[in-house]
Amino acid sequence: MKLPILLSALTAATLVSAYDASACNNSPSLCDKPYDDVTYLGAHNSPSLRNAQTDFNIGGVQYFNVTVQLSAGVRLVTAQLQLKDGKPRLCHGSCSFIDSGTLDDYFKEIRAWLDKNPSEVITITLINEPRVSPTDLTASFASANLASELYTPTGTGEWPTLRELIDAKTRLIVYLTDGHNTATHPSLLPQFDYTFETAYENYSELDFTKCAPDRPAGLSAADAVASGRLPWANRYLYSEGLVQLPNVGRINETNNPDNLYASLTQCADAWGGIPSYVLVDFFNEGPAIGAIDRLNGVTKAVNRVEPPKSPKRGEDGGEVGDVDVTNGGSVGERKALAVKALMGEDVPVADWILVAGGWGKMIKL
Ligand SMILES: *[C@@H]1O[C@H](CO)[C@@H](O)[C@H](O)[C@H]1NC(C)=O
Ligand SMILES: *[C@@H]1O[C@H](CO)[C@@H](O)[C@H](O)[C@H]1NC(C)=O
Ligand SMILES: *[C@@H]1O[C@H](CO)[C@@H](O)[C@H](O)[C@H]1NC(C)=O
């Protein structure tokens, strides 16, 4: 008679332990650390995906959506805003190149994730070159029920601990590169008043050995540290070519946890400590999170979902093999594009760029 009750109690206990609420950002050891004492893995251009859903758009710099990113331990996401017909959308470079939808939908996905993961703090940086107004941005946060989740600094220059942010239900730190107005919208923080970052347009790992701030411009590392700004390390590479594309061919070196750890710790003296933010492409490769856990002293992360293996073009029925962008894609891709163009179909700009430079080889074949 007692057995069924015992069993149901056990089942309930198992369900409860599925999410460990005693942890903050994947570890109990981080709860009492001030926000600025933790290192966060960042997904560069988080909404710009390269997978079957986008037909492996070469403008995509992540394989998996923001839900998968956050579940795997990413705690900073950056997203680029562009105007299309006067309305803001999430587009990397240009909306005719890669369009990842509306800010409202992106925020709703983040809201859903925060609800399922109640003891996690995340940071969003909006690359707001078109200067979407703070009022419009606030409306987008509100449409996703995120407006009250935004942290507003107290003005003391001190950051709260992760636990304090969680308890106050202000688990979202938001930076804007441009278009902020702290007088009217104090929770939309000017990124370069709060952080200093390394160069972001790089083609070689050698550049990762340089610690000098690139933005804000004209600030020495010593002055950046003295100002209290948080160090932000950009750790992604482009490949040389017609257009600036992520160097996916070197991703296992760029995101390798030992390489990352070495390049991040060697700047610690110059930066007055380990970086707060580390921004990478294709975050699941490496895996980059290995370096971040090491910097945070986390050995047994909880509440994480291991991301799947990176998808490859071809596994859904096309040609098998990596797309070699610098050589103009595969013969199959050039043929497919030629057929589309001959049939009078609209060929996306990204496809033309993909095959650029590949025509010569096609003729030889
Ligand atoms: C995110 O990606 C995962 C795995 O690819 C998928 O199962 C899920 O439906 C996606 N979520 C959204 C909101 O698109
Ligand atoms: C890459 O970064 C370094 C410093 O870290 C910078 O001086 C250099 O100009 C950048 N390289 C390119 C090609 O822009
Ligand atoms: C990256 O991949 C290349 C080619 O597969 C391999 O030779 C190299 O050892 C890998 N590097 C790391 C750090 O895993």
Short mmCIF file of all heavy atoms in Angstrom, two decimals, residues 198-204 206-212 214 240, ligand 2:
data_model
loop_
_atom_site.label_atom_id
_atom_site.label_comp_id
_atom_site.label_asym_id
_atom_site.label_seq_id
_atom_site.Cartn_x
_atom_site.Cartn_y
_atom_site.Cartn_z
N THR A 198 38.25 44.15 -27.91
CA THR A 198 39.37 43.99 -28.84
C THR A 198 38.85 44.13 -30.27
O THR A 198 37.64 44.14 -30.51
CB THR A 198 40.02 42.61 -28.67
OG1 THR A 198 39.03 41.60 -28.94
CG2 THR A 198 40.57 42.41 -27.27
N ALA A 199 39.80 44.18 -31.21
CA ALA A 199 39.43 44.34 -32.62
C ALA A 199 38.47 43.23 -33.05
O ALA A 199 38.52 42.12 -32.53
CB ALA A 199 40.69 44.32 -33.49
N TYR A 200 37.59 43.54 -33.99
CA TYR A 200 36.58 42.56 -34.39
C TYR A 200 36.67 42.17 -35.86
O TYR A 200 35.94 41.31 -36.32
CB TYR A 200 35.18 43.05 -34.06
CG TYR A 200 34.77 44.31 -34.80
CD1 TYR A 200 34.00 44.22 -35.95
CD2 TYR A 200 35.16 45.57 -34.35
CE1 TYR A 200 33.63 45.38 -36.63
CE2 TYR A 200 34.79 46.71 -35.02
CZ TYR A 200 34.02 46.62 -36.17
OH TYR A 200 33.67 47.75 -36.84
N GLU A 201 37.57 42.85 -36.60
CA GLU A 201 37.70 42.50 -38.01
C GLU A 201 39.06 41.87 -38.19
O GLU A 201 40.01 42.56 -38.53
CB GLU A 201 37.63 43.76 -38.87
CG GLU A 201 36.24 44.14 -39.21
CD GLU A 201 36.21 45.29 -40.21
OE1 GLU A 201 37.07 46.18 -40.11
OE2 GLU A 201 35.36 45.28 -41.07
N ASN A 202 39.16 40.59 -37.96
CA ASN A 202 40.48 39.97 -38.00
C ASN A 202 40.49 38.72 -38.86
O ASN A 202 39.48 38.06 -39.04
CB ASN A 202 40.96 39.67 -36.58
CG ASN A 202 41.50 40.93 -35.91
OD1 ASN A 202 41.00 41.38 -34.90
ND2 ASN A 202 42.54 41.49 -36.52
N TYR A 203 41.67 38.47 -39.40
CA TYR A 203 41.83 37.36 -40.34
C TYR A 203 42.83 36.32 -39.85
O TYR A 203 43.04 35.32 -40.51
CB TYR A 203 42.27 37.91 -41.71
CG TYR A 203 41.25 38.85 -42.31
CD1 TYR A 203 41.24 40.20 -41.99
CD2 TYR A 203 40.25 38.36 -43.15
CE1 TYR A 203 40.27 41.06 -42.51
CE2 TYR A 203 39.28 39.21 -43.67
CZ TYR A 203 39.30 40.55 -43.35
OH TYR A 203 38.34 41.39 -43.85
N SER A 204 43.47 36.61 -38.71
CA SER A 204 44.52 35.71 -38.23
C SER A 204 44.46 35.59 -36.72
O SER A 204 44.19 36.58 -36.02
CB SER A 204 45.89 36.26 -38.65
OG SER A 204 46.89 35.80 -37.78
N LEU A 206 46.85 35.43 -34.89
CA LEU A 206 47.92 36.25 -34.32
C LEU A 206 47.35 37.53 -33.71
O LEU A 206 47.88 38.06 -32.74
CB LEU A 206 48.96 36.59 -35.39
CG LEU A 206 49.88 35.45 -35.80
CD1 LEU A 206 50.82 35.90 -36.92
CD2 LEU A 206 50.68 34.95 -34.60
N ASP A 207 46.26 38.01 -34.30
CA ASP A 207 45.64 39.23 -33.78
C ASP A 207 45.06 39.03 -32.39
O ASP A 207 44.86 39.99 -31.65
CB ASP A 207 44.56 39.73 -34.74
CG ASP A 207 45.14 40.24 -36.04
OD1 ASP A 207 46.14 40.97 -35.99
OD2 ASP A 207 44.60 39.89 -37.11
N PHE A 208 44.79 37.78 -32.04
CA PHE A 208 44.24 37.50 -30.70
C PHE A 208 45.30 37.68 -29.61
O PHE A 208 44.98 37.64 -28.42
CB PHE A 208 43.69 36.07 -30.62
CG PHE A 208 42.50 35.80 -31.52
CD1 PHE A 208 42.16 34.51 -31.88
CD2 PHE A 208 41.72 36.85 -32.00
CE1 PHE A 208 41.07 34.25 -32.69
CE2 PHE A 208 40.62 36.60 -32.82
CZ PHE A 208 40.30 35.30 -33.16
N THR A 209 46.55 37.85 -30.01
CA THR A 209 47.59 38.07 -29.00
C THR A 209 47.68 39.55 -28.60
O THR A 209 48.41 39.91 -27.70
CB THR A 209 48.97 37.60 -29.49
OG1 THR A 209 49.32 38.38 -30.63
CG2 THR A 209 48.94 36.12 -29.89
N LYS A 210 46.95 40.40 -29.32
CA LYS A 210 46.97 41.84 -29.01
C LYS A 210 45.88 42.14 -28.00
O LYS A 210 44.73 41.79 -28.21
CB LYS A 210 46.74 42.67 -30.28
CG LYS A 210 47.56 42.22 -31.49
CD LYS A 210 48.82 43.04 -31.63
CE LYS A 210 49.77 42.45 -32.66
NZ LYS A 210 49.16 42.33 -33.99
N CYS A 211 46.24 42.83 -26.94
CA CYS A 211 45.27 43.08 -25.88
C CYS A 211 44.69 44.49 -25.92
O CYS A 211 43.73 44.79 -25.21
CB CYS A 211 45.91 42.84 -24.52
SG CYS A 211 46.73 41.24 -24.39
N ALA A 212 45.28 45.36 -26.73
CA ALA A 212 44.85 46.77 -26.71
C ALA A 212 43.38 46.91 -27.10
O ALA A 212 42.92 46.23 -28.01
CB ALA A 212 45.72 47.58 -27.67
N ASP A 214 40.16 48.19 -28.96
CA ASP A 214 39.89 48.74 -30.28
C ASP A 214 38.72 49.73 -30.18
O ASP A 214 38.71 50.76 -30.82
CB ASP A 214 39.53 47.57 -31.21
CG ASP A 214 39.21 48.03 -32.61
OD1 ASP A 214 40.07 48.68 -33.22
OD2 ASP A 214 38.09 47.76 -33.09
N GLU A 240 39.69 35.90 -46.09
CA GLU A 240 39.88 36.93 -47.12
C GLU A 240 39.08 36.49 -48.34
O GLU A 240 39.06 35.32 -48.70
CB GLU A 240 41.36 37.02 -47.53
CG GLU A 240 42.32 37.06 -46.37
CD GLU A 240 42.84 38.45 -46.05
OE1 GLU A 240 42.30 39.41 -46.63
OE2 GLU A 240 43.75 38.55 -45.22
C1 LIG B 2 43.16 42.77 -36.22
O1 LIG B 2 43.45 43.17 -34.91
C2 LIG B 2 44.59 43.94 -34.71
C3 LIG B 2 44.82 44.21 -33.23
O2 LIG B 2 44.33 43.27 -32.43
C4 LIG B 2 44.51 45.19 -35.49
O3 LIG B 2 45.59 46.05 -35.22
C5 LIG B 2 44.44 44.84 -36.95
O4 LIG B 2 44.31 45.99 -37.74
C6 LIG B 2 43.29 43.87 -37.24
N1 LIG B 2 43.46 43.30 -38.56
C7 LIG B 2 42.76 43.62 -39.63
C8 LIG B 2 43.08 42.92 -40.89
O5 LIG B 2 41.90 44.44 -39.63
#
